[in-house]
Amino acid sequence: MVSEPSESTGGGDGADTAALALKILVAGGFGVGKTTLVGAVSEIRPLRTEEQLSRLGESVDDTDGVAQKTTTTVAMDFGRITIRSGLSLYLFGTPGQDRFWFLWDELSQGALGAVVLADTRRLEDCFPAVDYFEHRRIPFLVAVNCFAGARDYGAHEVSQALDLDRGTPVVLCDARDRDSGKEVLIRLVEYAGRMHTARLLDSVGEPQAAGHVGNRS
């Protein structure tokens, strides 16, 4: 979890409150809406590393279901949003194609958690992202981007289809809408905070348990 103190901000009572910045990843399959989500919620002009799709990439870029897509992220997207006074999120959108996955390890360093965007028309495209975060124990939620014309599925149906671990949140969203995207991020921060707290308590309790065992022997 990235916790970067910046300059203090003066509160109404004269007390200083240190600003906190948390790193969040936005991941998912090719063309699922990662760049759109980062751009919709960012309060700064988002950094984008998009390139035009070309004929050379036709053999590796699967545009089935997203034939209208003409660009692709080749490194990352970056944006920032202030959730409340003293708390900001740094958003890093990951590239969706297989050939750029080597960048994920760098981008995930210090991340509090991740949003995995899903399209129910191509739900299998988010399997690799789900596997990635589960294996690295990075808290994540699945945000179903509700595209026009796509069949509606409930959160429970999506959770079952993805075989998610119990308790992993699934939410519905519109990646184009700032308020919808912000709600997704708030849910993630709350969930990731609970997960990190639980793990911290477990790690503190384990040595104590081991000490009790030693005393009984």
Side-chain angles (χ1 to χ4, degrees), residues 24-196:
I24 300 295
L25 299 185
V26 180
F30 177 61
V32 77
K34 301 180 295 295
T35 298
T36 300
L37 176 63
V38 173
V41 301
S42 181
E43 62 197 17
I44 63 172
R45 182 177 180 179
L47 169 66
R48 292 173 174 168
T49 57
E50 289 196 308
E51 294 293 340
Q52 291 289 323
L53 293 174
S54 67
R55 290 185 177 180
L56 293 176
E58 288 180 354
S59 61
V60 290
D61 292 330
D62 182 7
T63 58
D64 186 29
V66 285
Q68 75 283 0
K69 187 171 175 59
T70 60
T71 61
T72 183
T73 299
V74 297
M76 68 174 186
D77 300 308
F78 174 77
R80 186 190 71 206
I81 179 174
T82 300
I83 296 298
R84 58 172 172 75
S85 178
L87 176 60
S88 297
L89 304 182
Y90 291 165
L91 307 176
F92 291 81
T94 65
Q97 303 95 314
D98 296 8
R99 66 184 187 278
F100 296 126
W101 281 351
F102 68 93
L103 295 170
W104 284 37
D105 287 340
E106 289 292 331
L107 292 175
S108 65
Q109 290 292 323
L112 172 75
V115 173
V116 175
L117 272 177
D119 178 354
T120 56
R121 300 170 302 178
R122 300 176 293 123
L123 198 57
E124 67 280 1
D125 288 359
C126 71
F127 286 172
V130 169
D131 289 342
Y132 182 91
F133 296 121
E134 283 184 344
H135 291 159
R136 288 160 181 78
R137 302 188 70 217
I138 297 175
F140 71 95
L141 61 71
V142 174
V144 179
N145 193 7
C146 298
F147 287 90
R151 179 180 170 185
D152 291 333
Y153 290 92
H156 181 66
E157 292 175 289
V158 173
S159 180
Q160 285 189 316
L162 294 176
D163 193 24
L164 298 177
D165 290 340
R166 184 177 180 181
T168 302
V170 176
V171 298
L172 306 182
C173 75
D174 182 345
R176 303 165 300 178
D177 183 76
R178 175 181 171 83
D179 290 337
S180 179
K182 186 174 180 179
E183 283 300 314
V184 169
L185 296 172
I186 291 173
R187 284 285 303 275
L188 173 63
V189 170
E190 292 173 345
Y191 172 66
R194 293 194 301 270
M195 292 292 291
H196 284 292

Side-chain angles (χ1 to χ4, degrees), residues 1-6 18-23 88 90 110-112:
M1 174 177 60
V2 171
S3 175
E4 300 180 0
S6 61
L20 183 66
L22 303 174
K23 182 178 183 181
S88 297
Y90 291 165
L112 172 75

Side-chain angles (χ1 to χ4, degrees), residues 197-212:
T197 298
R199 291 172 184 174
L200 179 61
L201 293 175
D202 286 344
S203 66
V204 171
E206 287 174 1
Q208 293 177 346
H212 291 314

